[in-house]
């Protein structure tokens, strides 16, 4: 007999737990990548992610502002009996998700929209979860709970190959097109076989298994699947993409793979990456009570403590910014921003375009200002704002030319690369694009001293705020001449790694 309340309580605790604790195997792999990294910008980004991980664990606050879409794999033993006929398993799981995301001590960001298009109204509690059910012959219910960020989900790909096509070549050739929006280094999940939807489900489920690439490298492959994992691991890392797409030694920490029989005429291959905020946990209910979770020990966290480099980074006072000021900034420069900046992302930019179309005065003056692409977690206790890392900037590309041309905007902060047209627009307007580290949201939030709502309150986390920041760390990703670190860094390291 499995109690319904045990399911609710266990799911709720699981999603709270993974919001601030990295799995230890992932943490170890991340630390190993930090130790091996030779690229200074990539090593700095890894240091921020590792420091953020320990800070989040200590204060029990989210690792990333995107606290994900709740994904649950549940295997129901046919010998189980639920103590309720009033609620289905799906309803109990969703109640657990609701409790987790509305937790008063650690509220998680509501990112789920009731309608995927049209009004796109937020459900406000991150339900419904995406639930995958299977059955076995046991007397237990097995759960895997994962919180999957939108940045990594956006880079999922499906290939319907011919049986004679190279799986390895197809995947490796696709990796550069994923850009850095999935916040590498992370884990690449690969699903092969079945039907199109089965291949994608296999890729997603493969990400739930432990990180064991270092052990596989040491022991060597024992079958074709392990041979392919190793081949992909080496070839992808040889691309030189590196942490945050800045160029470096490690792009993937592991490659996971699941396969299934398929039709003789088809070879479906799905790939889904997991980001630097990898979050999942496995537990089982056997009727003896709710699940319990053991947090990492203090000594499980590496002694990496990132601090601003006041000797190398340029201190910038935002109130004094002009086009002349940013002319001296070069791609790759590290900056520490202090003063006032505005926030805004997809929904806010769409509203701004409506104002411009109607030639109506904007509710916010963007002239000579910097806008930060962010959707923060709600604050608790004495916080000015909750975890507030950058969102993927390419989603704002279609708005950028008009923002620079018609509002007087001086620059933008986000994560990952910009498209060619946007880089040309930045060059044309002598503007600038800066990046923060995806996966260091709680660390970044400590630089935000005050947050004031200034427009579009109904948009929730997508509203426009004015942040008062002090020594907020960013890197110049695209300078006013159009030079991009996301082109220069990987190109440089690809040559280095190929020579090795």
């Amino acid at each position: 007999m499995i109690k319904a309340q045990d399911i609710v309580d266990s799911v709720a605790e699981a999603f709270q737990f993974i919001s601030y604790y990295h799995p230890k195997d992932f943490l170890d792999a991340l630390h190993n990548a930090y130790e091996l990294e030779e690229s200074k910008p990539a090593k700095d980004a890894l240091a921020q992610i590792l420091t953020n991980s320990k800070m989040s664990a200590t204060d029990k606050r989210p690792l990333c502002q995107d606290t994900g879409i709740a994904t649950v794999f549940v295997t129901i033993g046919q010998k189980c009996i639920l103590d309720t006929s009033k609620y289905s398993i799906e309803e109990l799981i969703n109640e657990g998700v609701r409790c987790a995301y509305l937790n008063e001590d650690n509220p998680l960001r509501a990112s789920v929209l009731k309608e995927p298009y049209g009004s796109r109204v937020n459900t406000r509690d991150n339900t419904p979860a995406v639930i995958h059910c299977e059955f076995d012959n046991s007397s237990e219910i097995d759960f895997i709970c994962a919180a999957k960020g939108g940045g990594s989900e956006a880079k999922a790909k499906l290939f319907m190959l011919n049986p004679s096509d190279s799986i390895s070549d197809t995947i490796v050739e696709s990796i550069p097109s994923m850009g850095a929006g999935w916040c590498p280094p992370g884990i690449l999940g690969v699903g092969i076989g079945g039907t199109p939807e089965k291949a994608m489900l296999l890729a997603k489920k493969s990400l739930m298994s432990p990180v064991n690439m270092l052990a596989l490298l040491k022991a060597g492959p024992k079958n074709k699947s392990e041979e392919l994992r190793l081949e992909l691991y080496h070839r992808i890392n040889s691309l030189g993409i590196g942490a945050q797409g800045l160029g470096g030694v490690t792009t993937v920490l592991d490659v996971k793979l699941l396969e299934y029989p398929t039709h003789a005429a088809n070879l479906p291959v799905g790939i889904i990456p997991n980001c630097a905020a990898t979050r999942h946990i496995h537990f089982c209910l056997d009727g003896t009570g709710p699940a319990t979770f053991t947090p990492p020990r203090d000594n499980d966290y590496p002694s990496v403590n990132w601090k601003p480099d006041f000797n190398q980074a340029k201190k910038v006072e935002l109130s004094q910014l002009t086009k002349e000021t940013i002319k001296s900034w070069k791609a790759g420069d590290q900056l520490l921003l202090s003063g006032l900046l505005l926030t805004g992302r997809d929904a806010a930019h769409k509203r701004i375009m409506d104002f411009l179309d109607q030639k109506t005065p904007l509710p916010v003056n963007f002239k000579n200002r910097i806008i930060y692409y962010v959707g923060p977690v709600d604050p608790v206790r004495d916080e000015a704002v909750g975890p507030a890392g950058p969102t993927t900037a390419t989603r704002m590309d279609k708005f950028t030319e008009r923002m620079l041309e018609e509002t007087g905007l001086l620059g933008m902060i986000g994560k990952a690369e910009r498209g060619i047209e946007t880089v040309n627009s930045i060059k044309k307007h002598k503007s600038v694009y800066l990046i923060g580290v995806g996966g260091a949201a709680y660390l970044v939030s400590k630089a935000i001293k005050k947050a004031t709502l200034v427009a579009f309150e109904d948009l929730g986390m997508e509203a426009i705020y004015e942040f008062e920041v002090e020594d907020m760390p960013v890197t110049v990703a695209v300078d006013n001449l159009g030079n991009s670190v996301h082109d220069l860094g990987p190109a440089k390291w690809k040559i280095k790694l190929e020579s090795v």
Side-chain angles (χ1 to χ4, degrees), residues 306-311 313-317 334-338 469-474:
W306 181 90
K307 299 289 183 186
D309 189 341
F310 293 103
N311 294 320
K314 298 178 180 179
K315 287 180 68 68
V316 174
E317 177 49 59
Q334 292 182 316
L335 311 178
L336 295 171
L337 307 181
S338 295
V469 300
E470 182 180 329
D471 293 330
M472 176 180 171
V474 295

Side-chain angles (χ1 to χ4, degrees), residues 148-186:
K148 199 69 169 56
S152 58
E153 290 290 85
K155 304 304 180 180
K157 295 179 184 294
L158 172 68
F159 308 97
M160 292 302 293
L161 303 183
N162 294 315
S164 61
D165 291 341
S166 168
I167 294 172
S168 179
D169 287 350
T170 300
I171 293 174
V172 173
E173 289 166 8
S174 74
I175 298 299
S177 69
M178 288 165 53
W182 61 283
C183 292

Side-chain angles (χ1 to χ4, degrees), residues 2 7 74-77 80 89 139-143 283-285:
I2 308 294
I7 294 176
V74 55
T75 303
I76 305 167
C80 288
I89 284 278
S139 56
E140 303 172 335
I141 305 182
D142 187 87
F143 292 85
F283 63 91
C284 190
L285 297 181

Side-chain angles (χ1 to χ4, degrees), residues 57-75:
T58 301
D59 294 348
K60 294 188 176 181
R61 292 293 277 145
L63 292 156
C64 180
Q65 80 287 341
D66 183 353
T67 51
I69 185 167
T71 305
V72 181
F73 293 90
V74 55
T75 303

Side-chain angles (χ1 to χ4, degrees), residues 204-226:
K204 176 65 70 65
K205 195 167 186 179
S206 75
L207 293 169
M208 307 298 121
S209 57
V211 178
N212 65 348
M213 180 53 70
L214 294 181
L216 180 56
L217 287 166
K218 185 176 180 180
K222 296 182 177 63
N223 51 50
K224 289 290 184 182
S225 175
E226 291 184 350

